[in-house]
Amino acid sequence: MPNEALLERIKRYGKPGVDRLLAIRRLPSEDIMLQADSEEARKMLEKESSWVQAVAPTATVLRQTHAAFVHGVRVANIQTNDQQAAARRIEAQNKSLHPELEVVRMGWPRMALEKKKTFHL
C-alpha cells in the first residue's frame, strides 16, 4: 500500500490526534515512521494507540525510551519481584520533579537482590 493511502486510512480511523499526522516514511526494517505536526500530537498518539489497528491488526506503537542508572536506592524498601508496583511507587515519589516520568522497565543487579541493602543500579 502506498504511503499516502496508508496515511489517509489512518486519518479516516477517527481517533484524536490522527488528523495531525503529516507524513509516513517506510524504514529499511519495514517499520513505518509517522511524522506529526507537534510534540503534543506525538504524545497524544503514543498514549491513545488504538488508531494503530488501521495499519494492521498486529501493529504496535514503539515508544522512544531512555535508560537511566539510579544510584543509592535502598533495595530493602522496594518489592523487587513486583516491577509494576515498584515502578508506580518510584513515579509517585518523583512526581514533583518529573511530572511526566513513566518507568517502563526496571532491572536489579543480582548482588542487590541477594543482600537487600542500598545499592547502585
Side-chain angles (χ1 to χ4, degrees):
M1 177 180 296
N3 290 351
E4 295 79 21
L6 185 55
L7 183 59
E8 285 306 313
R9 183 175 173 180
I10 292 170
K11 286 184 176 183
R12 275 188 271 125
Y13 201 69
K15 292 294 180 179
V18 294
D19 57 330
R20 299 176 71 181
L21 289 172
L22 300 175
I24 290 182
R25 190 174 106 198
R26 292 183 191 269
L27 303 175
S29 64
E30 298 194 16
D31 287 345
I32 298 170
M33 184 168 56
L34 302 171
Q35 182 179 5
D37 66 356
S38 67
E39 181 74 13
E40 176 189 331
R42 181 191 63 82
K43 287 180 181 179
M44 185 186 319
L45 290 166
E46 279 184 351
K47 288 192 188 299
E48 172 54 54
S49 61
S50 63
W51 58 268
V52 81
Q53 300 306 310
V55 176
T58 58
T60 58
V61 174
L62 298 177
R63 298 182 317 166
Q64 186 175 18
T65 59
H66 304 280
F69 295 96
V70 182
H71 300 277
V73 175
R74 290 189 50 89
V75 180
N77 296 339
I78 297 176
Q79 292 288 341
T80 55
N81 57 351
D82 186 4
Q83 283 196 8
Q84 291 299 322
R88 299 301 80 81
R89 185 173 176 193
I90 290 171
E91 290 170 1
Q93 291 172 349
N94 290 282
K95 194 76 159 172
S96 61
L97 293 174
H98 306 284
E100 293 187 17
L101 174 69
E102 183 179 356
V103 178
V104 178
R105 187 181 80 72
M106 297 187 314
W108 305 95
R110 192 173 294 158
M111 190 174 174
L113 298 176
E114 292 168 359
K115 293 187 178 182
K116 289 283 191 179
K117 295 183 178 179
T118 301
F119 205 84
H120 304 289
L121 301 177

